Amino acid sequence: MSILQLRIELLHIEPLIWRRIQMPGDCTFWDLHVAIQSAFAWNDSHLHEFRRGGDGGNDLRFGIPLDEAGDGLLRPGWEHRVADVLTLADPALEYAYDFGDSWEHRVVLEDILEPAPGRRYPRCVAGERSAPPDDCGGPGGYQDLLATLADPADPDHASLHAWASSQKGQRGRFDPEAFDEQRVKFARPGPRLKRLLADRR
């Protein structure tokens, strides 16, 4: 089985926040969604969608259809493999998470590798900077949060530091510049999908 090496960049924030992850070659878009949530320490508490524009407006969209009727355009991510869509010749798509905060990511297939003996996948092999905490208000809200965290005189400084430090994936005081790929722990997509489908019944 081949390994997909993907770079995921969080858009509309400077300096850049990004991750490089390696996924099994047969992974679905649901598997990739769960891996991105783990790599960015998101809470997976909001809707998401993978998008790629096609010729003549024939867009490809993968996510969680809200009902069986739907518009037929949003395909269940767990039924479609990433390798059937992304190729080295046509390697990019978008990933949106939390349509209120509008976290937008660019996902690029960088390489197709042979698996390393004894190594488990998915795995995170590189990245820079902490991801913004979930529910902090999108890129604009995150910039406001950073300004408050950097200003000890701000009346909300202490409470927002405590809140940011309590979010998923944080160890100790929140540091927007910190990231250690060795600390990324990937959630299992199977049980999460089972719970999702049970809730939809």
Side-chain angles (χ1 to χ4, degrees):
M1 178 182 63
S2 60
I3 299 299
L4 308 181
Q5 180 166 291
L6 299 141
R7 178 181 169 103
I8 303 101
E9 299 178 353
L10 182 57
L11 304 178
H12 313 304
I13 290 181
E14 294 292 340
L16 185 65
I17 298 168
W18 63 276
R19 305 287 184 262
R20 177 173 290 121
I21 63 175
Q22 295 175 345
M23 299 288 296
D26 61 353
C27 68
T28 66
F29 281 98
W30 174 260
D31 299 331
L32 179 55
H33 157 69
V34 173
I36 293 173
Q37 290 289 304
S38 296
F40 281 83
W42 298 119
N43 291 328
D44 198 8
S45 55
H46 303 281
L47 293 174
H48 73 278
E49 187 174 288
F50 291 93
R51 307 172 183 141
R52 186 159 80 172
D55 295 334
N58 185 26
D59 292 349
L60 290 173
R61 297 169 52 215
F62 305 94
I64 304 173
L66 294 179
D67 55 58
E68 294 301 323
D71 58 11
L73 299 178
L74 182 60
R75 307 170 192 203
W78 50 90
E79 294 181 0
H80 298 272
R81 296 190 329 152
V82 175
D84 292 336
V85 176
L86 292 185
T87 65
L88 293 176
D90 194 4
L93 51 69
E94 296 175 358
Y95 169 74
Y97 169 63
D98 185 350
F99 303 150
D101 279 4
S102 298
W103 299 114
E104 297 179 2
H105 308 69
R106 176 175 168 82
V107 179
V108 177
L109 175 63
E110 292 185 318
D111 205 352
I112 299 175
L113 309 169
E114 291 297 317
R119 186 160 286 164
R120 297 179 64 183
Y121 299 92
R123 61 191 299 258
C124 184
V125 297
E128 289 186 290
R129 298 180 183 83
S130 289
D134 245 313
D135 297 318
C136 71
Y142 184 52
Q143 295 300 329
D144 292 342
L145 173 63
L146 292 181
T148 300
L149 297 182
D151 182 6
D154 190 297
D156 295 324
H157 175 82
S159 62
L160 285 180
H161 250 303
W163 174 79
S165 299
S166 71
Q167 298 305 295
K168 178 183 175 184
Q170 297 303 320
R171 289 174 172 83
R173 194 169 175 85
F174 178 75
D175 179 357
E177 295 301 311
F179 177 69
D180 180 357
E181 63 270 15
Q182 299 297 322
R183 291 187 170 183
V184 174
K185 304 298 182 192
F186 287 95
R188 295 169 56 206
R192 194 173 291 190
L193 177 59
K194 185 176 181 180
R195 289 194 299 271
L196 172 70
L197 295 178
D199 291 342
R200 286 160 55 90
R201 292 192 183 113

